[in-house]
Amino acid sequence: MRYFRLFIAFLRIGIMNELAYRANFFVQLFESVLELGTALAGLAVVFSHTDTLGGWLPNEVLALVGVYFLVGGSIRLLIQPSMERLIESVREGTLDFTLVKPEDAQFLVSIQRVEIWKLTDIFLGLAVLAIALVRLGARVGAIQLMAFAGALLAGGVIVYSFWLILATLCFWFIRVENILVIFQSMYEAGRWPMSLYPSWLRFALTFLVPIAVATTVPAQALAGRLNWQTLAGMIGLAFIISAISRIFWRFGIRRYSGASA
Amino acid sequence: MAVTALPVIHIRDLRKTYVVSERETGARAALKSLVHRRMQEVPAVAGISFDIAAGEIVGFLGPNGAGKTTTLKMLSGLLHPSGGEVAVLCHIPWKREKAFLRKITLVMGQRNQLVWDIPAADSFELNRAIYRIPSDVYRRSLDDLTGLLDLEPLLRKPVRNLSLGERMKCEIAAALLHRPQVVFLDEPTIGLDVSMQRRIRSFIADYNRRYGATVLLTSHYMADVEALCRRVIVIHHGRLLFDGELSGLVQRFTRHKTIVIQLQDCSVDLHAYGEIIECVDGRATLRVPKAETARVTERLLADLPLIDLTVEDPPIEEIIEQVFAQEVL
Amino acid sequence: MKGLGAIYLQQFSTTLASQLQYRAVLFIWLIGQVLEPLIYLVVWSAVSRSTGGNVGGFSAGEFSAYFILLMLINHSTFTWIMWEQEYRIRLGTFSFALLKPVHPIHSDIADNVSYKLITFPVMLLVALALSLAFHPEFHFAPWAVMAFFPALGLAFLVRFLLEWTLAMTAFWTTRVSAINQVYFVLLLFFSGQIAPLSLLPGPIQAVASILPFRWMISFPAELFLGRLTPSQALAGLAAQVAWLAGCLILMKIIWRAGLRVYSAVGA
């Protein structure tokens, strides 16, 4: 409960921060629409030359794009700006202020920045998702929706933990802010069905850089292509990677405060 | 010496050694460093000990790189010591217990914890949530601080629109909202203009008087320490050089005294009396070994038609400089 | 001119030293640059497999060749100056660059090239590894291969100038990520990174030829893969030169305007 109240406090700050730059909303809207347009155009080009892609129908891939924007927007709303701010604050020395506060540092750094206008990505994603679902017909039932929600949640945890691990690297490597660039292109892999990728790439995108799972598996759930093993595996992965990220974070803090490793 | 209560800050033989990678210049060395990095141990704090009682304002003085900030970070739990004991309010700082963190605060000069684009008042609210300050305590705290620091016109402005001094006042206020028992100030007046420095100093003194908070202040400005601290700890190369009253510092480390005399003009040759620092319009400043002061003063009074004569200690800056230069223990 | 050469040389060794200091960065950037063409390689190979062979004049092997080559070209021409400039201005360190008696663009170019001297061999290795996995088909024409190198050089200069000019927008606004995003979206689509330009609908291809992006990345690839006739190649090189001139003029204008803004606002 207390964590929720703290999150609201940071959310307020985030909203106020962004309201100070009202122009950002329109820029963000333009940006999001442009990105969505490119994704859809890419889809259109691909499907102008074929009817299925790795066994996926156009509307199933459209659903995937919707999930991609939904998850991507959520990352850009909270996770990414907070992690970027973390990396900055390590460099500036202002992380010390956070460490001196009587709350769990991982929690504080993870919610410290909310870029409220990224909600446009989330809404666009939901819109695309809705359209795709309508087109796919009434094949989506309660079970699919539950699996979808579960996969989405697990995916969110996986992505957050992965981002935290990357950001924690800033305790060792100074120029880690460039991570933004890789994440963008790595995340791109989640826009296409993972079944397309050769097995070694699928492995990498599931276990080494577990981002694509966050989009593909929920989309699979909606398309009715998900089997229980994959969902269970994903949830298990979520538990494991969140534990690893927590341990690594604490290790990083110890390193930062010069504790003997 | 009567022992009244447990010291608020207790340090015994505290040490901190950094391990840094070092490398020679040039491209070849750069390539080599990809494979093999040479590490070097840099002692930042080399065994210092002191105790600070509740309500004291202690100045922690030293040149850049002396180990002041490192010590402060060890006291606030930000750094793990390499050795020795440290306890603040009976907590071990590096364990970072929440109960401990609620009782302390840290202010760092030229580093902001306030959120940049929004009014300071909103950052205050954030701290209220983080420190879980009850609303009545918060209101009272905020009113007190607003009064003491003259914050009223500043609270609604975005922090980025404030001047450096105004920002510092807000930073300090934000740090004190939760009424900490121990206040760590790391170079709080650095970069500020003289009048703002004075404002902040008088605020710290007021705050200490009102709330009895223990204040540990690091600075390389002598004026900070002169104005605020009865007790001074001097640190250099990670070692304690002096711990005691400021007047004691002057007493112990000066070898000279300054005699200032007023004559009609500077035509008289004063070399026999002492080292001439300057002579302007008949006002001569002489530096004289401490032991000789009485004798030289007598002679000056006897020999010369003086208009005025005063005996002073050298400026404290000079003393400190000499202390650092000689590392007299 | 000799002085400039000395500056470049010094910048090389400085960048080399500082890049090797921050080792992690080198590999992080490479990962992204490999993955993106890889994704599209896989997607288009899947498309060609599902249609049983040829897609718009590309077989699966030709797709592999195209995207692996694109990866190398993109790596050779990319810059990071937009982020760096925003960072420099925000932190006030850009003022130091302005105090030097040389145009800051030179040290930025030198920095860029010296980074690639280190990373290109790695990318080449990755390209070889990818070739083993995805079996690219190349159809060379010797003249095309020779024309490729000046085309690549021109592509680098055009892209660098344009992106450097774009980076100067940091003079006017602190939130440059939006502008960068727009640029990269356009770049992605119109430089042939999503699909070979010949696979795009006709009108889009026409637009792509008017925009500079094709000449930064796609054109050298088309040249090397032997997909252009000599006259097309010549026209392409001319387009590159034209864009180079245009970007140079644009850069000078924006630079001067930006300096005025920067010095008015202060560091």
Side-chain angles (χ1 to χ4, degrees):
Chain A
M1 195 53 220
R2 160 179 101 232
Y3 288 115
F4 183 69
R5 222 172 292 142
L6 266 179
F7 174 67
I8 297 293
F10 278 102
L11 186 65
R12 276 187 67 236
I13 302 258
I15 293 175
M16 277 187 283
N17 229 338
E18 290 289 329
L19 286 180
Y21 296 95
R22 243 163 287 248
N24 270 8
F25 169 67
F26 297 102
V27 174
Q28 181 59 59
L29 188 61
F30 177 68
E31 230 185 274
S32 299
V33 168
L34 202 67
E35 217 188 313
L36 182 62
T38 311
L40 296 176
L43 261 190
V45 175
V46 165
F47 282 109
S48 69
H49 293 276
T50 182
D51 285 327
T52 66
L53 190 63
W56 286 57
L57 298 171
N59 289 315
E60 293 173 341
V61 185
L62 187 65
L64 179 59
V65 170
V67 176
Y68 176 82
F69 273 85
L70 178 61
V71 173
S74 312
I75 296 168
R76 292 203 235 165
L77 178 77
L78 182 62
I79 301 173
Q80 181 175 313
S82 294
M83 292 294 114
E84 282 177 339
R85 178 76 197 119
L86 166 65
I87 295 168
E88 250 173 55
S89 69
V90 169
R91 209 176 341 109
E92 292 171 2
T94 49
L95 180 66
D96 290 343
F97 287 124
T98 307
L99 293 177
V100 134
K101 299 272 192 315
E103 280 297 342
D104 182 70
Q106 180 185 339
F107 178 68
L108 285 179
V109 299
S110 303
I111 60 171
Q112 62 184 322
R113 237 195 220 162
V114 179
E115 293 206 4
I116 200 74
W117 296 138
K118 304 294 181 192
L119 278 175
T120 55
D121 270 357
I122 295 180
F123 284 128
L124 282 176
L126 285 171
V128 170
L129 199 55
I131 293 173
L133 285 179
V134 162
R135 286 207 190 162
L136 281 174
R139 285 196 286 136
V140 179
I143 301 182
Q144 279 87 359
L145 282 175
M146 274 186 358
F148 172 69
L152 212 58
L153 196 62
V157 169
I158 290 173
V159 171
Y160 162 68
S161 306
F162 177 68
W163 255 103
L164 184 62
I165 292 174
L166 285 184
T168 306
L169 288 173
C170 72
F171 291 128
W172 286 268
F173 303 109
I174 306 175
R175 291 260 206 106
V176 165
E177 70 265 13
N178 298 297
I179 276 179
L180 162 68
V181 183
I182 10 144
F183 183 80
Q184 260 316 108
S185 32
M186 295 241 238
Y187 186 58
E188 275 246 7
R191 204 143 50 81
W192 305 97
M194 288 232 295
S195 53
L196 291 179
Y197 304 131
S199 52
W200 54 267
L201 192 56
R202 250 179 297 149
F203 179 84
L205 291 173
T206 310
F207 295 107
L208 293 181
V209 180
I211 305 180
V213 273
T215 52
T216 294
V217 178
Q220 280 179 314
L222 281 181
R225 296 166 161 275
L226 189 59
N227 53 36
W228 293 110
Q229 295 94 312
T230 311
L231 182 61
M234 187 169 178
I235 294 176
L237 183 63
F239 274 109
I240 294 173
I241 196 175
S242 59
I244 293 176
S245 66
R246 174 78 180 164
I247 294 170
F248 189 47
W249 164 258
R250 300 197 46 154
F251 183 60
I253 288 288
R254 284 175 59 81
R255 210 284 181 159
Y256 180 76
S257 33
S260 42
Chain B
M1 191 170 78
V3 176
T4 46
L6 283 170
V8 160
I9 295 178
H10 167 77
I11 294 184
R12 198 60 77 234
D13 199 30
L14 190 65
R15 328 177 152 267
K16 180 64 188 168
T17 308
Y18 289 119
V19 179
V20 292
S21 64
E22 65 151 28
R23 205 195 66 195
E24 291 133 29
T25 53
R28 191 177 304 160
L31 281 164
K32 236 201 305 173
S33 77
L34 262 185
V35 197
H36 168 71
R37 271 199 291 190
R38 230 169 0 129
M39 297 305 211
Q40 210 197 24
E41 286 195 350
V42 175
V45 176
I48 59 175
S49 309
F50 58 76
D51 287 334
I52 297 180
E56 283 196 70
I57 307 183
V58 178
F60 207 32
L61 210 61
N64 290 330
K68 318 189 288 294
T69 304
T70 306
T71 307
L72 215 64
K73 286 192 177 179
M74 285 193 278
L75 287 171
S76 53
L78 291 171
L79 280 182
H80 279 242
S82 306
E85 295 170 25
V86 53
V88 176
L89 292 167
C90 299
H91 290 271
I92 299 181
W94 52 262
K95 291 210 168 145
R96 296 185 42 231
E97 296 157 356
K98 299 220 173 121
F100 165 67
L101 294 174
R102 264 188 260 281
K103 300 180 202 163
I104 67 165
T105 200
L106 175 64
V107 176
M108 297 193 271
Q110 294 201 323
R111 270 197 247 166
N112 296 359
Q113 63 159 313
L114 298 174
V115 182
W116 196 242
D117 292 309
I118 59 176
D122 295 319
S123 286
F124 292 172
E125 286 285 333
L126 193 58
N127 271 6
R128 169 155 86 111
I130 292 176
Y131 283 97
R132 292 192 247 161
I133 311 172
S135 40
D136 54 339
V137 176
Y138 175 73
R139 191 118 307 281
R140 245 179 298 136
S141 231
L142 185 55
D143 287 340
D144 286 345
L145 290 166
T146 308
L148 280 174
L149 281 166
D150 240 335
L151 294 179
E152 193 52 55
L154 308 176
L155 289 176
R156 307 274 151 243
K157 288 199 217 163
V159 168
R160 72 186 133 88
N161 290 344
L162 301 174
S163 72
L164 190 61
E166 293 171 337
R167 226 179 295 149
M168 203 57 217
K169 288 203 286 186
C170 292
E171 285 281 333
I172 293 177
L176 295 175
L177 286 167
H178 60 285
R179 297 267 177 85
Q181 294 173 28
V182 179
V183 180
F184 296 115
L185 300 167
D186 192 21
E187 311 258 10
T189 59
I190 193 168
L192 300 178
D193 64 68
V194 176
S195 65
M196 188 56 75
Q197 286 185 351
R198 256 185 261 131
R199 283 291 281 107
I200 301 238
R201 277 177 219 138
S202 73
F203 165 78
I204 295 172
D206 278 340
Y207 189 86
N208 165 260
R209 257 196 302 274
R210 271 209 193 194
Y211 301 111
T214 310
V215 178
L216 181 56
L217 159 79
T218 72
S219 189
H220 61 257
Y221 289 137
M222 204 51 228
D224 280 347
V225 173
E226 275 182 292
L228 286 174
C229 315
R230 269 228 330 270
R231 177 177 170 193
V232 158
I233 298 177
V234 179
I235 186 172
H236 193 34
H237 288 330
R239 283 182 205 283
L240 219 61
L241 288 190
F242 178 82
D243 177 2
E245 300 214 353
L246 192 55
S247 48
L249 179 70
V250 175
Q251 271 249 352
R252 187 148 124 206
F253 288 106
T254 45
R255 300 215 157 120
H256 302 274
K257 284 237 180 230
T258 306
I259 302 180
V260 181
I261 56 179
Q262 186 69 44
L263 299 161
Q264 288 286 85
D265 53 44
C266 285
S267 54
V268 185
D269 177 16
L270 298 163
H271 282 101
Y273 299 99
E275 184 190 335
I276 304 172
I277 300 192
E278 65 168 6
C279 190
V280 174
D281 283 339
R283 184 188 151 91
T285 309
L286 299 170
R287 189 186 286 145
V288 168
K290 221 193 281 190
E292 312 269 302
T293 315
R295 195 155 22 96
V296 172
T297 312
E298 259 188 71
R299 283 178 57 202
L300 283 168
L301 285 166
D303 297 349
L304 303 172
L306 298 175
I307 301 173
D308 196 6
L309 178 148
T310 50
V311 179
E312 296 169 356
D313 288 316
I316 300 197
E317 264 90 359
E318 227 180 82
I319 302 175
I320 297 287
E321 264 175 56
Q322 287 177 12
V323 170
F324 295 149
Q326 298 166 30
E327 288 188 52
V328 176
L329 274 152
Chain C
M1 209 53 215
K2 189 173 181 187
L4 212 56
I7 290 170
Y8 270 80
L9 217 60
Q10 187 49 48
Q11 185 66 48
F12 283 159
S13 61
T14 310
T15 300
L16 201 68
S18 76
Q19 286 293 348
L20 294 175
Q21 180 84 333
Y22 303 112
R23 308 166 208 188
V25 183
L26 299 179
F27 301 108
I28 289 172
W29 277 346
L30 296 190
I31 295 174
Q33 292 193 336
V34 169
L35 202 66
E36 203 175 277
L38 181 59
I39 293 171
Y40 287 108
L41 193 168
V42 167
V43 168
W44 284 105
S45 303
V47 172
S48 89
R49 258 177 288 133
S50 69
T51 57
N54 212 287
V55 181
F58 280 85
S59 68
E62 286 170 326
F63 273 128
S64 301
Y66 175 78
F67 282 106
I68 293 175
L69 189 60
L70 215 66
M71 177 185 84
L72 291 173
I73 295 175
N74 181 49
H75 181 76
S76 311
T77 58
F78 95 103
T79 78
W80 56 87
I81 195 68
M82 297 83 110
W83 294 282
E84 178 145 5
Q85 182 65 356
E86 191 262 335
Y87 180 71
R88 294 196 288 211
I89 290 184
R90 193 157 44 95
L91 261 61
T93 53
F94 189 60
S95 307
F96 295 125
L98 290 176
L99 289 171
K100 302 214 182 104
V102 189
H103 197 291
I105 200 174
H106 293 295
S107 72
D108 287 339
I109 294 182
D111 189 35
N112 189 291
V113 175
S114 46
Y115 166 84
K116 288 167 188 173
L117 286 178
I118 309 171
T119 54
F120 193 79
V122 180
M123 289 301 265
L124 212 52
L125 285 173
V126 173
L128 288 171
L130 289 177
S131 301
L132 290 173
F134 292 101
H135 315 292
E137 287 169 30
F138 287 98
H139 308 288
F140 301 123
W143 68 266
V145 175
M146 281 199 343
F148 169 75
F149 290 99
L152 187 63
L154 283 169
F156 170 75
L157 287 173
V158 173
R159 186 169 177 185
F160 194 93
L161 273 174
L162 189 60
E163 295 191 357
W164 202 87
T165 310
L166 194 67
M168 293 304 118
T169 57
F171 282 137
W172 285 271
T173 169
T174 48
R175 308 273 176 134
V176 293
S177 58
I179 300 171
N180 291 347
Q181 210 102 341
V182 171
Y183 174 80
F184 278 107
V185 161
L186 291 173
L187 181 71
L188 202 70
F189 205 66
F190 289 110
S191 66
Q193 292 181 295
I194 291 187
L197 291 176
S198 55
L199 290 180
L200 299 178
I204 312 279
Q205 284 191 51
V207 173
S209 292
I210 305 174
L211 295 173
F213 308 109
R214 175 179 175 201
W215 312 110
M216 293 179 196
I217 303 179
S218 173
F219 173 66
E222 299 163 32
L223 197 55
F224 191 87
L225 291 174
R227 292 184 167 268
L228 298 173
T229 66
S231 55
Q232 285 175 325
L234 216 57
L237 284 169
Q240 284 188 311
V241 173
W243 272 106
L244 183 61
C247 287
L248 204 59
I249 297 171
L250 186 66
M251 186 273 277
K252 292 219 152 105
I253 298 173
I254 302 276
W255 171 244
R256 218 164 293 159
L259 270 187
R260 249 179 283 133
V261 171
Y262 186 65
S263 44
V265 168

